[in-house]
Amino acid sequence: MDNREAQINHILQSLERLPPDAQQGMAWIINHFAFAEEMCRNSEFAPGELEASIQHAMDKKDFFLLALLCFCKILQEHDDKPQ
């Protein structure tokens, strides 16, 4: 098994441990990756707003919104890293 295959298996195992609603949210991100990426890259969050929105989504158990916001946070952190 190569490294890429091992990574994919790890992701799949992680997804299987999520609640069904969270799995659906993640599946939406995967199936609409380009659209989700464009949405996130074109959104502007004030400092602390993204984290507050993530907490709100967790409190409401809105797993679709949670998946999208976490994806935005990952992209934001990736973009902020020096290349």
Side-chain angles (χ1 to χ4, degrees), residues 14-61:
S14 297
L15 288 173
E16 288 174 353
R17 290 191 295 266
L18 294 173
D21 289 343
Q23 288 179 12
Q24 290 177 344
M26 291 303 301
W28 189 91
I29 298 293
I30 292 166
N31 288 321
H32 301 92
F33 188 86
F35 179 67
E37 182 179 25
E38 184 177 340
M39 283 177 51
C40 290
R41 293 209 189 273
N42 290 325
S43 63
E44 295 182 18
F45 291 95
E49 184 181 12
L50 183 55
E51 289 78 12
S53 296
I54 288 171
Q55 185 60 52
H56 179 74
M58 287 190 323
D59 293 345
K60 296 291 184 184
K61 297 188 181 344

Side-chain angles (χ1 to χ4, degrees), residues 60-77:
K60 296 291 184 184
K61 297 188 181 344
D62 185 341
F63 294 109
F64 169 76
L65 181 58
L66 181 61
L68 185 59
L69 292 169
C70 288
F71 182 63
C72 289
K73 183 175 181 178
I74 291 166
L75 289 177
Q76 188 179 65
E77 290 172 352

